[in-house]
Amino acid sequence: MHKITIIKSYFELGSKAADCVEKTLLLPKSSIIFPTGSTPISMYKELVKRKLNWSNTTTYNLDEYMHLKNPEKSYFYYMHKNLFNHTNISSNKTNFLDYKTFSKTKNYGFCADLCILGIGRNGHIAFNEPGGSFDSETRIVELSKQTRKDNSRFFKSIQDVPLKAVTMGLKPIMSSKKIVLLAKGKSKKEILEKAIFEEITEKIPASILQKHDNLKIYYCD
Ligand code: GLP
């Protein structure tokens, strides 16, 4: 059975996750899948501070919005602003799910050495919304009302939150050799506990993580 490790501070949450990334960067060749959202920000800050060598790794992003009016809201922009612009990684080693070309790179996260994840309040991981198949591959999805509402804090209004996104599927995510799930805040606690300790069900996409044998879960209030 998996356990949720309770971390004292948000800074420490980032630091724990950064330790896992740092270890992976030391491999002769590695691949890492990264999330976005507010939760991983302290991890990215810590990674930038550590001035690590990124030359042996290739990165992949979990998801991307479609049809954005403002490119600054994209996860491409987020990753450059929060991480890539401050490291020595070369741009041909960072991969994003551009919806126009994603079918070419469909399951690009297959067997990644490390996958860092956040969790949505409805139990989504990446943009795999409740009800989707555990066997899902990388694809275009419709965002749920709840996710659009939750993510509207990053936009001027809910109308500006895209209706669709491209997301890595649960299958390629689960094929990662190691998964680290990060969650912050009381609003995530209930869904996190449901996902990890209750029934494995497609109604709660994150519950599939119970089947992974190399999973770490870090939570802070
Ligand atoms: C978005 C992302 C997810 C992320 C979730 C939680 O919907 N697609 O990958 O895990 O938000 O974000 P936050 O950390 O801001 O709560």
Side-chain angles (χ1 to χ4, degrees):
M1 189 161 149
H2 294 288
K3 67 173 180 73
I4 299 175
T5 305
I6 313 281
I7 307 289
K8 270 183 270 143
S9 70
Y10 179 51
F11 166 78
E12 221 182 291
L13 182 89
S15 178
K16 282 260 183 221
D19 290 347
C20 299
V21 174
E22 180 167 359
K23 219 164 132 196
T24 308
L25 294 181
L26 293 173
L27 297 172
K29 197 169 175 253
S30 64
S31 50
I32 307 179
I33 305 174
F34 280 120
T36 51
S38 54
T39 309
I41 290 287
S42 65
M43 171 186 76
Y44 291 130
K45 278 207 172 115
E46 182 62 21
L47 286 172
V48 169
K49 216 163 76 189
R50 292 187 192 184
K51 297 198 190 312
L52 303 167
N53 176 20
W54 288 77
S55 59
N56 299 326
T57 204
T58 304
T59 71
Y60 299 90
N61 265 79
L62 280 169
D63 45 16
E64 183 58 282
Y65 288 116
M66 279 174 69
H67 309 307
L68 272 170
K69 285 188 209 142
N70 178 356
E72 291 191 9
K73 302 292 177 194
S74 69
Y75 291 160
F76 177 91
Y77 185 89
Y78 170 108
M79 289 304 295
H80 285 82
K81 181 173 164 240
N82 292 301
L83 183 67
F84 298 144
N85 289 350
H86 316 284
T87 70
N88 68 340
I89 199 160
S90 66
S91 60
N92 60 2
K93 289 185 139 189
T94 63
N95 296 280
F96 292 90
L97 286 170
D98 179 338
Y99 74 90
K100 291 178 198 126
T101 55
F102 86 94
S103 54
K104 280 190 229 148
T105 53
K106 231 180 163 189
N107 289 311
Y108 69 20
F110 202 66
C111 283
D113 293 293
L114 174 66
C115 173
I116 311 276
L117 291 175
I119 182 169
R121 284 205 304 148
N122 60 2
H124 75 232
I125 46 179
F127 273 134
N128 291 286
E129 297 282 30
S133 163
F134 280 155
D135 266 338
S136 57
E137 301 283 2
T138 298
R139 68 208 185 285
I140 290 173
V141 290
E142 266 181 40
L143 299 179
S144 69
K145 262 196 196 141
Q146 162 107 59
T147 296
R148 291 186 66 238
K149 198 169 149 228
D150 288 347
N151 290 5
S152 64
R153 68 190 196 278
F154 301 112
F155 294 81
K156 260 195 225 139
S157 73
I158 190 157
Q159 279 76 27
D160 287 348
V161 184
L163 296 165
K164 288 184 176 182
V166 190
T167 185
M168 197 180 278
L170 293 171
K171 213 164 142 192
I173 289 173
M174 283 297 283
S175 76
S176 307
K177 292 177 197 152
K178 181 183 173 101
I179 296 182
V180 176
L181 174 63
L182 304 176
K184 176 188 179 292
K186 294 210 169 73
S187 67
K188 297 282 176 74
K189 203 167 181 203
E190 196 181 325
I191 191 68
L192 184 64
E193 287 174 344
K194 257 196 184 154
I196 302 305
F197 302 131
E198 291 183 23
E199 187 198 354
I200 300 178
T201 162
E202 287 172 344
K203 287 185 207 144
I204 302 180
S207 65
I208 184 78
L209 297 172
Q210 290 186 42
K211 292 194 176 173
H212 202 280
D213 56 13
N214 192 3
L215 169 72
K216 282 224 153 52
I217 307 158
Y218 295 129
Y219 169 84
C220 79
D221 273 343

